[in-house]
Every structure is written in structure tokens, then in C-alpha cells.
Amino acid sequence: MKKDKRFELVYDEGSSLSDDGLKKVFVDKETGVCYLTWKSGYAGGITPLLDSEGKPVIMKSEQ
């Protein structure tokens, strides 16, 4: 039984070799929460995207 992937890539920009780094936005398909990942050289990070009130950005499902 094949399990569906939980995270979906919705945005991709840059290059890990550039000074600005590689930025990607993923959506958790179970919760709808959006996460920003960033990578440059040997450094990187991940954080949930927040709106102006400090709440997580939720992407509505297209199903």
C-alpha cells in the first residue's frame, strides 16, 4: 500500500549556490499550514509562514 506524501512543494526560488540562497514553500496537506525553507551553502532553516497577526498561514485544499 503506497502512502501519499504529506508535504507538497508550492513555491521554489533561487539557488543554494547564490548569496540569497534557495527558498521553498511547502504545504502540509493534512493541516494546510505553509512552511518556508531556506538553504545557502551549509546553512539552512525552516519556519511556518505567519500572517500579520502572528497566526500560521493556512492554504485551503483544492480538493
Side-chain angles (χ1 to χ4, degrees):
M1 176 196 264
K2 184 178 177 185
K3 189 174 180 180
D4 290 334
K5 292 183 179 182
R6 181 168 176 171
F7 295 93
E8 179 180 358
L9 177 65
V10 294
Y11 182 76
D12 187 351
E13 172 184 298
S15 166
S16 60
L17 301 176
S18 71
D19 289 340
D20 291 339
L22 178 61
K23 296 164 281 296
K24 295 184 180 187
V25 175
F26 290 91
V27 174
D28 181 336
K29 292 195 277 186
E30 290 185 17
T31 64
V33 175
C34 295
Y35 295 90
L36 172 69
T37 65
W38 172 82
K39 180 183 178 215
S40 180
Y42 293 109
I46 183 170
T47 186
L49 287 177
L50 304 177
D51 65 13
S52 61
E53 297 176 358
K55 296 178 183 176
V57 173
I58 307 293
M59 183 176 281
K60 305 237 187 241
S61 175
E62 294 180 8
Q63 297 176 350

